[in-house]
Amino acid sequence: VDQLVGCLEEFDPSVKEGAAWALGYIARHNQDLAQAIVDNEATHYLVLCVQEPELPLKRIAASTLSDIAKHSPELAQVVVDNGAINHLAPLITNSDPKLKRQVCQCLA
C-alpha cells in the first residue's frame, strides 16, 4: 500500500490513475484494508487527484474515495476531513456522466 500511495505523488497522470485504481480495488474489500489505505495517508493524495484536470483520474480518485468511505462512519469522516466534499460537490455539474456517477456515489 505504501508504494501505491507514493505513486499518487508522481507527475505522470497515468501512474496516478493506476495507483488510485489499485487502492480502490484494495479498499472495496473490507474495512481493515480501507483503514490500511487511510493509515498510509492516501486520502489526502486522492483528494488532490480529484483536483487534477484529467477526467479519468478524477473518476478513479472519486471512486476510490467512495470505496474507502463506504465501510464505516469513521472512514467516511476521514474522507470529509481531507476536504473531499469541497472538491467533489462542484463536480456534480460536470458534463461527464461517469464522473457524475462516481461523485454522487462518494457523496451518498
Side-chain angles (χ1 to χ4, degrees):
V1 170
D2 187 48
Q3 296 296 320
L4 290 171
V5 174
C7 289
L8 292 176
E9 298 179 67
E10 290 290 325
F11 180 76
D12 184 347
S14 64
V15 173
K16 292 180 186 180
E17 286 176 36
W21 181 87
L23 289 168
Y25 189 79
I26 293 166
R28 75 177 49 121
H29 288 290
N30 64 48
Q31 184 173 343
D32 291 336
L33 291 172
Q35 185 65 54
I37 291 167
V38 166
D39 291 345
N40 278 280
E41 307 294 325
T43 315
H44 167 75
Y45 295 106
L46 289 165
V47 171
L48 291 177
C49 288
V50 168
Q51 300 171 60
E52 294 281 349
E54 293 82 11
L55 199 55
L57 181 55
K58 286 179 185 287
R59 285 185 205 132
I60 294 168
S63 176
T64 301
L65 288 167
S66 178
D67 288 333
I68 292 169
K70 73 180 183 179
H71 293 291
S72 73
E74 293 79 17
L75 288 170
Q77 189 61 52
V78 171
V79 172
V80 170
D81 291 346
N82 276 274
I85 292 176
N86 292 334
H87 299 288
L88 288 169
L91 297 176
I92 291 175
T93 61
N94 191 288
S95 61
D96 182 70
K98 291 179 183 177
L99 179 59
K100 281 183 184 181
R101 181 174 46 109
Q102 297 301 338
V103 168
C104 289
Q105 185 175 5
C106 188
L107 293 174

